[in-house]
Amino acid sequence: MTKRWTIPALATVMVFTLAGCKYPSWTETGCRQEAVQETVELKKATSALLPESIAARLEARDDCDSGDEGGWLTATADGKTPSGTILEGFAAKGWTRLNLRKDECNVECIAGVTNPWHGKKVEVVVGATQQVQIHEVIIAFAE
C-alpha cells in the first residue's frame, strides 16, 4: 500500500479510491464523474461481503474538491465488533489479508484484505478511531 490511510475524527468507515482520477488535465467535474463510477463499482464489489448493518450504511464520498483521489464509500462499525467479524465475508470468498503497518492509518490500522475485481485491486481496511466505541472500515481501489 503506497498511501497513508486517513481516518476522520468522526470515525466513518471509508472506501477510498486510491488510484485517483485519470484525466490528462484534471477537472473537478471529470473527477466527480469518475468518483461516482468508482463508488458504484466499489459497492458492487464489496457490499454483499460486509455485515448487513455496515453495508446498509455505506456512503459515497469523493476528494474532488481538494484533489483528484476519486471516490470511496464510508460507514461506521461498533468498536466492540471484532475486525474478523467485519471481514469474515471477504475471508470466506478468499480475499488476501493485507500486511498493514499500524501507523498506516490515522489512529491505528487493525486489519485489512485485498482482492482483484474487474482488473482493479480493491482493499478493505478496518481502522481504530479517536472514538474508542467506533471502528472505521475503509474500502478502496489500490494503486
Side-chain angles (χ1 to χ4, degrees):
M1 190 163 68
T2 60
K3 182 175 178 174
R4 182 178 171 92
W5 293 87
T6 59
I7 301 175
L10 294 177
T12 58
V13 176
M14 292 195 174
V15 179
F16 286 102
T17 302
L18 298 179
C21 296
K22 307 271 188 304
Y23 299 101
S25 53
W26 179 87
T27 66
E28 186 174 338
T29 301
C31 183
R32 288 196 194 281
Q33 290 171 345
E34 184 173 321
V36 167
Q37 179 60 36
E38 290 168 343
T39 58
V40 167
E41 290 179 41
L42 287 165
K43 277 187 180 182
K44 287 179 184 176
T46 62
S47 62
L49 302 176
L50 287 166
E52 190 174 321
S53 62
I54 295 171
R57 292 190 313 268
L58 288 173
E59 295 180 37
R61 307 277 185 168
D62 70 58
D63 184 40
C64 296
D65 59 343
S66 61
D68 66 353
E69 294 282 332
W72 64 89
L73 303 171
T74 68
T76 56
D78 186 324
K80 294 178 183 177
T81 304
S83 61
T85 300
I86 296 168
L87 299 174
E88 70 186 351
F90 298 95
K93 292 294 185 180
W95 287 50
T96 304
R97 184 184 167 119
L98 284 170
N99 292 318
L100 300 167
R101 291 187 338 257
K102 289 186 177 200
D103 66 348
E104 287 184 89
C105 296
N106 190 25
V107 175
E108 178 184 349
C109 290
I110 298 170
V113 293
T114 187
N115 199 55
W117 191 79
H118 293 243
K120 299 177 184 180
K121 189 188 323 184
V122 176
E123 294 182 349
V124 180
V125 175
V126 177
T129 67
Q130 294 177 2
Q131 295 179 4
V132 179
Q133 310 89 330
I134 300 174
H135 280 153
E136 178 171 59
V137 178
I138 305 164
I139 306 168
F141 288 121
E143 294 180 347

